[in-house]
């Protein structure tokens, strides 16, 4: 794309040069700001009494918020069309108010002034200049910014007619990019569905499509190959409960997404860890680890690592070498088996459900012959690796599209490209 004919220094290091007829202004001179205020929590309700109330960015959607609570005594409000900016972690998240909202202390409502600051252009510009807020917030004990820090944001201000042209251009281009992203996200969903269906089919029906079938006599799978067995988990596993004397082994965690994996170094998890890991449970390669509290969500898996896990987890070891750990990893993490875990869990509601060892040992599992367990595990390793590679490729394309989208917005609102005749 072409550039403007003549540029000048903006005075801002991150902005660089801007078109010679553009101006630099602080946000407070072209918009009105309204910092939120939070009433006492007892004044909130979920019965739609009062004004829809936003506490912070937790209610943000892709464009507009989705309120979860209401408040009849909200002191600060955002009007339809106001730009909502998160002033608490994560600082800088942006949404547009599509109706009147009460706003809490985690938000600032920005209302561009008519004939000075076009609303759509303002929203695009704020997506770029919010990096100043990130810089201010970084390093603070609780990531947050003040009204002065928001009001003093550096804004690049073209003529109003150019703001409209830039906004029109970006509306069109970002919608095209967003549509490409939606297509790729749907592609990922289909690949994930394909992966799940493949695993479920193979671990319950085997690799021979012509195999004779028989009723499984289990609620979560109707038929299995006639030469396969069904056994209670107590015949396949025994519980392991030996503890670390030092707590120096690698700390492992378990989730419904990754199964068993090393605790990520990059996560700021120190505040959640005990002062010592002494007494944590040993876990070896091939052990089944179940997060007792979150098993109903699928937080379980067979470990590929040696290490230690939280004492609140349950660790199970296969009783015999005739059982293939990877087969049971695939089997136990299928959606239908997770439903069976929910059925056996004890508690009154999701957050209180627990899968205790006695319930786990009473559950049934499918047991193919050893040779077929090996074949199934190898087959699924190969097939899921290919699907996972396709998913990773699509995810990378989405990342690149998002980077391009942000770069295009930045280039347009800082005048690095001239889009006046591109609409």
């Amino acid at each position: 794309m072409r550039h403007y004919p003549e540029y000048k220094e903006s005075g801002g290091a991150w902005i660089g040069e801007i078109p010679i007829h553009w101006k630099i202004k602080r946000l407070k001179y072209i918009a009105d700001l309204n910092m939120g205020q939070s009433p006492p929590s007892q004044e909130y309700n979920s019965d739609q009494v009062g004004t829809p109330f936003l506490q912070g960015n937790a209610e943000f959607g892709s464009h507009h918020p989705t309120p979860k609570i209401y408040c009849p005594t909200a002191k600060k409000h955002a009007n339809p069309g106001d730009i909502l900016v998160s002033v608490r972690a994560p600082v800088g998240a942006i949404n547009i108010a599509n109706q009147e909202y009460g706003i809490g202390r985690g938000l600032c409502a920005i209302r561009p002034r008519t004939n000075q600051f076009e609303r759509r252009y303002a929203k695009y510009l704020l997506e770029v200049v919010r990096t100043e807020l990130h810089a201010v917030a970084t390093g603070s004990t609780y990531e947050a910014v003040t009204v002065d820090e928001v009001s003093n944001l550096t804004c690049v201000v073209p003529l109003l007619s150019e703001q409209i042209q830039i906004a029109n251009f970006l509306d069109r281009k970002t919608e095209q990019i967003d549509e490409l992203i939606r297509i790729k996200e749907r592609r990922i969903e289909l690949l994930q569905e394909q992966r799940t269906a493949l695993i479920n089919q193979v671990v319950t029906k085997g690799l021979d499509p012509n195999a004779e079938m028989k009723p499984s006599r289990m609620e979560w799978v109707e038929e299995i190959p006639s030469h396969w067995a069904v056994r209670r988990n107590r015949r396949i596993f025994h519980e392991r409960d030996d503890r670390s004397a030092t707590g120096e082994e690698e700390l492992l965690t378990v989730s419904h997404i990754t199964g068993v994996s090393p605790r990520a170094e990059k996560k700021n998890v120190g505040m959640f860890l005990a002062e010592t890991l002494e007494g944590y449970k040993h876990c070896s390669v091939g052990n089944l680890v179940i997060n007792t509290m979150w098993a109903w969500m699928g937080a379980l898996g067979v470990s590929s690592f040696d290490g230690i896990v939280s004492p609140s987890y349950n660790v199970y070891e296969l009783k015999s070498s005739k059982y293939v750990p990877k087969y049971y990893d695939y089997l136990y993490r299928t959606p239908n088996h997770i439903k069976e875990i929910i059925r056996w869990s004890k508690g009154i509601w999701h957050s209180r459900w627990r899968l205790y060892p006695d319930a786990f040992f009473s559950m049934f599992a499918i047991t193919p012959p050893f040779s077929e367990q090996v074949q199934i595990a190898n087959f699924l390793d190969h097939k899921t690796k290919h699907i996972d590679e396709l998913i990773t490729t699509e995810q990378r394309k989405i990342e690149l599209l998002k980077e391009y989208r942000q770069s295009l917005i930045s280039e347009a609102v800082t005048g690095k490209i001239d889009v006046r005749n591109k609409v």
Side-chain angles (χ1 to χ4, degrees):
M1 293 184 182
R2 65 175 182 157
H3 300 287
Y4 281 83
E6 195 172 356
Y7 286 84
K8 66 181 179 182
E9 285 296 330
S10 68
W14 69 270
I15 301 172
E17 294 184 332
I18 60 173
I20 196 166
H21 60 289
W22 288 21
K23 296 180 180 179
I24 297 292
K25 295 184 179 181
R26 299 293 180 186
L27 179 61
K28 60 187 175 184
Y29 297 123
I30 52 176
D32 297 313
L33 283 72
N34 188 17
M35 291 291 279
Q37 183 176 337
S38 298
S41 58
Q42 60 267 27
E43 297 181 18
Y44 302 148
N45 70 86
S46 57
D47 301 321
Q48 300 188 13
V49 177
T51 307
F53 190 81
L54 305 173
Q55 294 173 302
N57 57 71
E59 294 89 2
F60 279 12
S62 55
H63 297 289
H64 307 293
T66 301
K68 298 177 182 177
I69 60 174
Y70 294 76
C71 181
T73 59
K75 292 181 172 58
K76 296 296 185 75
H77 294 82
N79 291 339
D82 284 0
I83 303 167
L84 303 171
V85 178
S86 169
V87 294
R88 294 192 171 195
V91 168
I94 292 174
N95 254 204
I96 301 295
N98 55 337
Q99 59 179 309
E100 181 184 356
Y101 289 104
I103 53 174
R105 63 172 64 93
L107 295 177
C108 176
I110 297 173
R111 190 170 305 152
R113 292 175 188 166
T114 306
N115 298 325
Q116 293 187 60
F117 208 20
E118 205 276 337
R119 287 178 184 267
R120 293 171 301 142
Y121 173 82
K123 189 257 188 183
Y124 286 122
L125 180 63
L126 286 169
E127 289 184 16
V128 177
V129 303
R130 62 184 173 185
T131 55
E132 289 187 10
L133 297 180
H134 297 161
V136 171
T138 300
S140 61
T141 304
Y142 181 80
E143 188 176 310
V145 290
T146 66
V147 64
D148 287 339
E149 289 162 342
V150 178
S151 65
N152 283 309
L153 282 172
T154 305
C155 293
V156 186
V157 188
L159 298 172
L160 188 63
S161 60
E162 284 184 73
Q163 293 180 35
I164 295 170
Q165 288 178 301
I166 292 169
N168 289 341
F169 168 81
L170 289 176
D171 282 350
R172 178 169 59 85
K173 296 298 289 186
T174 56
E175 177 54 36
Q176 291 172 352
I177 296 169
D178 291 344
E179 178 60 22
L180 288 174
I181 290 173
R182 284 192 289 269
I183 290 170
K184 296 194 175 301
E185 287 174 338
R186 180 54 183 155
R187 165 76 169 153
I188 289 173
E189 290 176 3
L190 292 172
L191 285 167
Q192 290 170 334
E193 291 171 6
Q194 177 188 341
R195 187 185 194 277
T196 299
L198 175 68
I199 293 171
N200 187 69
Q201 172 69 21
V202 174
V203 298
T204 60
K205 301 294 187 290
L207 297 171
D208 181 1
N210 300 315
E212 184 181 348
M213 308 300 286
K214 67 178 180 182
S216 72
R217 299 181 181 177
M218 295 184 297
E219 291 191 12
W220 59 279
V221 59
E222 185 175 349
E223 292 183 325
I224 61 173
S226 58
H227 61 291
W228 288 16
V230 172
R231 295 188 175 97
R232 288 193 187 272
N233 284 335
R234 68 167 59 96
R235 296 182 58 190
I236 303 171
F237 292 92
H238 63 78
E239 187 175 8
R240 180 179 180 183
D241 194 22
D242 51 308
R243 307 296 180 109
S244 171
T246 63
E248 295 178 355
E249 298 89 339
E250 182 170 29
L251 179 61
L252 306 176
T253 188
V254 60
S255 78
H256 69 286
I257 298 173
T258 60
V260 182
S261 61
R263 175 83 71 150
E265 292 287 340
K266 63 182 179 181
K267 290 184 179 179
N268 182 20
V269 297
M271 61 185 294
F272 301 111
L273 296 180
E275 292 183 4
T276 174
L277 302 184
E278 181 182 340
Y280 272 50
K281 294 181 179 180
H282 278 125
C283 170
S284 301
V285 173
N287 287 172
L288 172 66
V289 184
I290 298 180
N291 184 328
T292 311
M293 183 183 299
W294 300 108
W296 64 273
M297 284 189 63
L300 70 153
V302 173
S303 182
S304 299
F305 309 91
D306 293 329
I308 53 176
V309 298
S310 166
S312 63
Y313 294 173
N314 292 114
V315 181
Y316 301 98
E317 191 167 43
L318 288 165
K319 285 185 172 182
S320 169
S321 59
K322 68 181 180 180
Y323 301 118
V324 178
K326 198 61 182 286
Y327 168 78
Y328 287 95
D329 186 55
Y330 283 122
L331 176 68
Y332 287 172
R333 297 179 68 196
T334 58
N336 283 344
H337 192 272
I338 299 303
K339 291 178 183 177
E340 185 71 355
I341 286 175
I342 292 173
R343 192 171 74 87
W344 282 91
S345 294
K346 298 178 181 178
I348 58 174
W349 190 240
H350 294 75
S351 62
R352 296 180 182 270
W353 286 346
R354 305 288 188 273
L355 182 69
Y356 295 110
D358 60 337
F360 172 74
F361 285 132
S362 296
M363 292 173 61
F364 288 96
I366 303 169
T367 308
F370 174 79
S371 61
E372 288 189 60
Q373 292 180 44
V374 173
Q375 291 171 0
I376 289 170
N378 291 340
F379 173 83
L380 289 176
D381 282 349
H382 173 71
K383 289 292 185 179
T384 57
K385 179 183 178 182
H386 176 64
I387 295 172
D388 290 344
E389 287 172 350
L390 292 175
I391 290 173
T392 299
T393 298
E394 294 300 315
Q395 289 171 334
R396 179 55 183 155
K397 289 177 181 177
I398 289 173
E399 290 173 6
L400 291 172
L401 283 168
K402 289 180 176 179
E403 290 173 9
Y404 171 63
R405 184 187 193 279
Q406 190 61 29
S407 175
L408 186 66
I409 293 171
S410 179
E411 295 282 288
V413 299
T414 59
K416 302 301 183 294
I417 53 176
D418 183 353
V419 302
R420 289 175 293 180
N421 297 316
K422 298 293 183 180
V423 179

